[in-house]
Amino acid sequence: MKTKNAVARKAVQAVKLPSLPQRPLRGARRESRRGDSTRLSILNAAERCFAQNGFDGVSLRTITEVAGVDLALVNYHFGSKDNLLREVIARRAKVVHEDRVRALEMARHEADASSPSIEAIVTAFLEPLLRRLSNGDAGWHHYSRLISQLDVLPKFTGLTGDVLDPTALHFINALRLALPKASPQSIYWGYMFLIGSMVQVISATGRIERLSRGLCRSGDIEGALHRLIPFISAGLRALGRQAE
Amino acid sequence: MKTKNAVARKAVQAVKLPSLPQRPLRGARRESRRGDSTRLSILNAAERCFAQNGFDGVSLRTITEVAGVDLALVNYHFGSKDNLLREVIARRAKVVHEDRVRALEMARHEADASSPSIEAIVTAFLEPLLRRLSNGDAGWHHYSRLISQLDVLPKFTGLTGDVLDPTALHFINALRLALPKASPQSIYWGYMFLIGSMVQVISATGRIERLSRGLCRSGDIEGALHRLIPFISAGLRALGRQAE
DNA sequence: GTCTATAGGAGGATAGAC
DNA sequence: GTCTATCCTCCTATAGAC
């Protein structure tokens, strides 16, 4: 991910990566091995460290210390720091994507013939992630903060796009049906604003505590959701009413 | 900004920094010296590099190469990489803050006795920065992307807070007056959502191009603003109508 | 799968000549 | 103010023993 030597390193990886699938088959039925707990420890530690200090702000040394494993193991299991990041993201993104699609399916089912309401669509998008946060799961908390960072860093847009764009297009399509009078451009921009508002909640930087002198808390997901859904829904509806 | 040796380095700086004000007095009337253009080159190069790769993703070597000046000069003029970042931010934040406050004053003046409309307040906040972006100024573009990144990185919230919180509190107060029925909590959350929506525009990651397959463009500030103001205004109004 | 050891270089910062 | 030269720490990645 460094600018220098990027080409050289890419060439090295192109030689090395194809050998990775030779590791014990994951997903196939097999007894759990020792390496699995190592992999997990590294993933969890990386998730937490990346979220706190950013990808480039953390060394593999720090990560393996937090994980309580040897430095060399991260390259054995993940091949490179870049790929470690990729797997950290992919692990949870997959889960959220499936939950969101499922929630949207249910909303469609309940709406019968017509399109679900804006509120229902927005809720189907927000709840799968935010409910996990309000359950206090630290891992999801770190993942959310990490996603928030990668979302605004140009050099990572490729990575996050691969993982998040399918969900985006799915919900953009749902919004288009729910807002038939909105221009396509307004729908795309509206989706961006939706993401932006949500990111302010899930990035949980502590800024709202400082601004409100403790009146609001970053961790109060219920309180945030209670404002976020009406805010986004009304905003999107306004775009649907717009002359153009 | 490294975790290790932070204490030791801080001690060193505490000895060194007080000597910095002995440099030629800035602001006082004096002929422009050679060092000024060096300072400027470094600030501009740092702004661009930080925005592209993040604070920790860029070395001082890269920055000074881009600036076309010697590596040692960054420490002579700025003392440390941390402080360089601080000055990069402060330079433009000051300008935007003043413009925003002035724009809000004008809106208040036009609204006469009553509070300005939500649209007027939101516009007073957004236009000072977004108009500069639509003028195509590359420096402002980099600054905006940098602010977007720091906004979601926990370890920088102290830095950005010092610079941006005064503006925030100023506009939060204006929103409170414009939305008398909204709870204080809703106002704070609403402000966060406002920021989040705006960040999606100013971070200009190119995501909207990819999602819309070129139909929308990150650089189309006018188009974004045309949707952003109605979106945020309607969202905030919904919070003002909320039962609680 | 895990460890030790190390390659090989990039990092921020600085002393001291000019 | 600017430049050269360098300190020393830290980095990612890997080779090879176990």
Side-chain angles (χ1 to χ4, degrees):
Chain A
M1 213 57 84
K2 299 286 172 52
T3 12
K4 314 282 188 63
N5 298 346
V7 180
R9 273 236 297 293
K10 203 154 219 165
V12 172
Q13 287 194 353
V15 177
K16 242 191 64 30
L17 279 177
S19 70
L20 279 175
Q22 296 175 356
R23 281 183 295 103
L25 300 164
R26 303 191 58 77
R29 181 200 313 230
R30 60 180 176 72
E31 67 280 37
S32 120
R33 308 239 176 109
R34 173 131 96 105
D36 285 357
S37 89
T38 300
R39 267 186 73 90
L40 259 183
S41 303
I42 295 174
L43 279 173
N44 291 335
E47 188 172 61
R48 152 177 258 127
C49 294
F50 287 157
Q52 262 167 20
N53 277 23
F55 178 78
D56 289 307
V58 180
S59 67
L60 293 179
R61 279 180 165 75
T62 302
I63 292 171
T64 50
E65 268 168 37
V66 170
V69 305
D70 189 273
L71 168 62
L73 291 175
V74 65
N75 268 308
Y76 174 79
H77 285 285
F78 298 95
S80 70
K81 191 184 180 185
D82 277 34
N83 204 56
L84 172 59
L85 174 64
R86 207 179 307 273
E87 296 212 25
V88 164
I89 302 289
R91 174 171 66 151
R92 299 200 198 254
K94 193 163 147 27
V95 177
V96 180
H97 172 73
E98 285 166 6
D99 273 16
R100 281 174 169 161
V101 170
R102 209 172 3 248
L104 186 55
E105 281 314 314
M106 282 183 56
R108 277 179 175 141
H109 196 259
E110 285 176 16
D112 230 13
S114 64
S115 161
S117 68
I118 301 288
E119 273 80 4
I121 296 172
V122 171
T123 303
F125 186 86
L126 295 176
E127 281 202 327
L129 182 55
L130 296 205
R131 285 280 171 238
R132 285 178 217 276
L133 288 180
S134 71
N135 290 343
D137 185 322
W140 282 100
H141 188 71
H142 302 140
Y143 167 77
S144 299
R145 302 218 280 185
L146 178 53
I147 288 285
S148 305
Q149 293 168 34
L150 301 183
D151 183 52
V152 293
L153 245 168
K155 73 174 179 178
F156 291 116
T157 45
L159 199 168
T160 53
D162 292 347
V163 180
L164 304 178
D165 282 357
T167 318
L169 294 171
H170 199 80
F171 277 81
I172 284 171
N173 196 48
L175 290 175
R176 207 194 304 271
L177 296 175
L179 295 165
K181 294 168 75 174
S183 72
Q185 285 93 335
S186 288
I187 299 284
Y188 287 111
W189 280 116
Y191 181 80
M192 299 295 283
F193 305 155
L194 182 168
I195 295 290
S197 315
M198 182 193 70
V199 161
Q200 290 292 314
V201 175
I202 69 176
S203 63
T205 58
R207 187 171 192 214
I208 199 168
E209 274 93 341
R210 223 179 37 239
L211 287 175
S212 71
R213 286 194 258 170
L215 190 64
C216 299
R217 287 171 304 107
S218 295
D220 175 22
I221 304 294
E222 290 303 324
L225 206 51
H226 182 238
R227 275 101 190 178
L228 191 51
I229 293 173
F231 180 93
I232 295 173
S233 302
L236 290 173
R237 254 193 264 276
L239 295 184
R241 278 193 308 269
Q242 220 172 5
E244 161 47 10
Chain B
M1 214 54 92
K2 299 285 172 52
T3 13
K4 315 282 186 64
N5 298 348
V7 180
R9 274 238 295 292
K10 202 154 221 164
V12 172
Q13 286 194 356
V15 176
K16 241 191 64 36
L17 277 178
S19 72
L20 278 176
Q22 297 174 355
R23 282 186 296 104
L25 300 163
R26 304 190 58 76
R29 182 198 312 230
R30 59 178 178 74
E31 66 279 36
S32 121
R33 309 239 175 108
R34 170 130 173 260
D36 285 358
S37 89
T38 301
R39 267 184 72 90
L40 259 182
S41 303
I42 295 174
L43 279 173
N44 290 336
E47 188 172 59
R48 153 176 257 128
C49 294
F50 287 156
Q52 261 167 19
N53 277 25
F55 179 78
D56 289 308
V58 180
S59 67
L60 292 180
R61 284 177 169 78
T62 301
I63 291 171
T64 49
E65 269 168 38
V66 170
V69 304
D70 189 90
L71 168 63
L73 291 175
V74 65
N75 268 309
Y76 174 78
H77 285 286
F78 298 95
S80 71
K81 191 183 181 186
D82 277 34
N83 203 56
L84 172 59
L85 174 64
R86 206 178 308 273
E87 296 211 25
V88 165
I89 303 290
R91 174 171 64 151
R92 300 199 197 255
K94 193 163 150 24
V95 176
V96 181
H97 172 73
E98 285 166 5
D99 273 16
R100 280 174 170 161
V101 170
R102 209 173 1 249
L104 186 56
E105 281 314 315
M106 282 182 57
R108 277 181 174 140
H109 195 259
E110 286 175 17
D112 229 11
S114 63
S115 161
S117 68
I118 300 289
E119 274 79 5
I121 297 172
V122 170
T123 303
F125 186 86
L126 295 177
E127 281 202 326
L129 182 55
L130 296 204
R131 287 278 173 240
R132 289 189 161 88
L133 288 180
S134 71
N135 290 344
D137 185 322
W140 282 100
H141 187 71
H142 302 139
Y143 167 77
S144 299
R145 302 217 280 184
L146 178 53
I147 287 285
S148 304
Q149 293 168 33
L150 301 183
D151 184 53
V152 292
L153 246 168
K155 74 173 175 178
F156 291 117
T157 44
L159 200 167
T160 53
D162 291 347
V163 180
L164 304 178
D165 282 358
T167 318
L169 294 171
H170 199 80
F171 277 81
I172 285 170
N173 196 48
L175 290 175
R176 207 194 304 270
L177 296 174
L179 295 166
K181 295 169 75 174
S183 72
Q185 287 93 335
S186 288
I187 300 283
Y188 286 112
W189 280 116
Y191 181 80
M192 299 294 282
F193 304 156
L194 181 169
I195 295 289
S197 315
M198 181 193 70
V199 161
Q200 290 292 314
V201 175
I202 69 175
S203 63
T205 57
R207 188 171 191 212
I208 200 168
E209 274 93 340
R210 222 176 41 237
L211 288 175
S212 71
R213 287 194 256 170
L215 190 65
C216 299
R217 287 171 303 108
S218 295
D220 175 22
I221 303 294
E222 289 304 324
L225 205 51
H226 182 238
R227 276 100 189 178
L228 191 51
I229 292 172
F231 180 93
I232 295 172
S233 302
L236 290 173
R237 255 192 263 276
L239 296 184
R241 278 194 307 270
Q242 219 173 5
E244 163 48 9

